[in-house]
Amino acid sequence: MFSTTSRQRVHILWFQGLIPYSIAWELQRSLFEARRDNPQLEDVLLLLEHPPVYTLGRGADAKFLQFNPECSDREVYRIERGGEVTYHCPGQLVGYPILNLKRHQPDLHEYLRQLEASLILALAQFKLQGERVAGLTGVWLEGQKVAAIGIQVSRWITCHGFALNVCPDLQGFRDIVPCGISDRPVGSLQQWLPDLTVPDVVPAIIEAFSETFRLDAQLNSIDGDIPEDLWQRLLAGQADSETLTKTQAS
């Protein structure tokens, strides 16, 4: 049983530097599978930036790529999330929540709306009015899409997540039809706030995400490899020293 009287903890891993997509994908899969096997494990949110890479959802149509991946040196992955093709690059903040929705609300549509709400709440901290568009998933600013969302959920454990364009070079989006939407432009927060950077936005995202999902955030800034003790705790639920002390004293 999950407690309904106190806020659960979410471990936030904020990676410094660029994380290749293949590595982030492997980290997600390990955390995702661990929680499918043991739903009692605490929630995790990975925050990072990728080098330039294109990803297609499991049912995505390759016609939305404006290049032949077999004849291109661009990095392309077909993955398990829903949605069409999208582009990741430096200057875009990517968030991968690994949550057990049974702790929150086991409803896929509501989860998507909560992710949108988190992003809109974060943008409001910069006096930017993020908006939803009826029938579509993501967040827009003055008609330009600044955040994309694509998820996978199995046994109510989530994987993949959101990508917020903070200050990226948008050139790479010209090689695709982003999310399969041809009539709505892609934008970035930098168009409204020219000096804004990803580190500026991370605290706002953490606060907004924690508030939306009613979680207490434990931030871990990762520069290089994930510390082994932290990684084992995330995979196996090994008690931290404070929890261990309380258990021994009880």
Side-chain angles (χ1 to χ4, degrees), residues 80-97:
E80 312 93 335
R81 65 163 173 80
E84 293 289 345
V85 62
T86 195
Y87 175 63
H88 301 301
C89 64
Q92 180 191 76
L93 178 60
V94 178
Y96 295 129

Side-chain angles (χ1 to χ4, degrees), residues 107-169:
D107 181 312
L108 300 188
H109 294 289
E110 178 61 22
Y111 176 54
L112 291 171
R113 303 294 81 79
Q114 287 179 303
L115 290 178
E116 291 169 344
S118 296
L119 294 162
I120 291 170
L121 187 60
L123 296 188
Q125 295 190 36
F126 300 96
K127 302 188 185 306
L128 297 173
Q129 188 173 350
E131 298 175 332
R132 296 182 174 97
V133 172
L136 299 175
T137 298
V139 174
W140 278 258
L141 272 176
E142 298 180 14
Q144 298 195 53
K145 189 172 186 180
V146 296
I149 296 172
I151 64 169
Q152 177 193 11
V153 179
S154 175
R155 302 179 197 169
W156 298 114
I157 306 299
T158 71
C159 195
H160 301 288
F162 62 84
L164 176 64
N165 294 334
V166 180
C167 54
D169 180 353

